[in-house]
Amino acid sequence: EAKSGGPNRHCAFETAMQDKVTERASLEAKLRLAIQEKAICTHYQPLINLRTGAICGFEALARWTDSQGVFIPPPVFIAIAEETGLITELFENLLAQACGDALAWPEDIILSFNVSPVQMEDRLLASRILRILDATKLPARRLEIEITENALIQDPVDAARILDELTQAGVQVALDDFGTGYSSLSQLARYRFDKIKIDKSFISTYQNDERQDKIVRAMLGLGRSLNIKTTAEGIEEHGQLSHLLLLGCDIGQGYIFGKAMPAEQALDFINDRREVLTASA
Ligand code: C2E
Ligand code: MG
Ligand code: MG
Ligand code: MG
């Protein structure tokens, strides 16, 4: 078996590798073009104040459907953008667009925007962000950036400088995907985050799992004692929602409230929700 399977398998492996390389190269070329043509946009997923039911923000999520109508998942093209250095251009385009969209929202609704770990190595990151705020006239306090724990490991000194500069300008900082990266707790000691976002992997599974539930409680307790607001990602069911509310989680995000939607739909969402809230008040 080894005799006949060996060389063939080797051959198949090489072909598969070659296919992967070709596919990757063509995706990279398509991405370059898509960024140039501004074919990638952001959709907005509501962030809900769990106590009042009001919208407190929207998270901007990048969306790309290629010219053949194929949806490319963000983690796929963001990774390529990071590796090729295209991330800066993509980020600047999307952030400017999102700030413009956010201007149409009521003052108390913030824009939350993801910053990839690779971008934390860019010494100009803070000034890039502040320049875009300046150009679009979105007040700094209405912008929140989301960074993951992994973004802070590389070069803590530079990261601290970037976060300081942003924080001093009034931009808020959220720790995204909390609990899934490295050294979460040391990061919490080092930086003053405005928000902790508990990763959806904890939310989707904790309900029938006592240990997971205790972890969620501990994370919420940590936020409370450090005076940091907590967000739960990935809430899909009413059971999860009422449980999180009971545990004192501040903000909720998930399909139960709404998926990421185009800018016009986000405006409708704001108006519909206002009506619901006033009707129930
Ligand atoms: P993230 O920042 O943790 O964003 C939350 C992800 O969870 C989004 O996936 C969102 O659609 C998904 N999600 C929200 N609620 C639910 C739910 O109830 N159930 C389930 N199953 N999923 C839910 P998405 O849009 O596919 O983005 C994936 C990741 O890609 C993001 O994770 C973020 O790390 C990255 N990403 C997206 N847009 C950007 C961007 O503009 N810049 C950067 N640097 N990264 C981005
Ligand atoms: Mg995020
Ligand atoms: Mg997240
Ligand atoms: Mg996540």
Side-chain angles (χ1 to χ4, degrees), residues 59 114 146 148 176-178 197-200 233 253:
E59 177 173 5
N114 292 286
E146 299 192 4
T148 61
D176 202 0
D177 300 347
F178 185 61
K197 298 189 75 176
I198 300 174
D199 192 68
K200 61 175 175 291
E233 296 186 325
Q253 174 178 13

Side-chain angles (χ1 to χ4, degrees), residues 104-123:
W105 307 339
E107 285 268 312
D108 55 342
I109 297 183
I110 65 154
L111 169 70
S112 206
F113 207 96
N114 292 286
V115 169
S116 91
V118 171
Q119 293 182 267
M120 294 303 283
E121 290 161 38
D122 174 7
R123 284 164 180 273

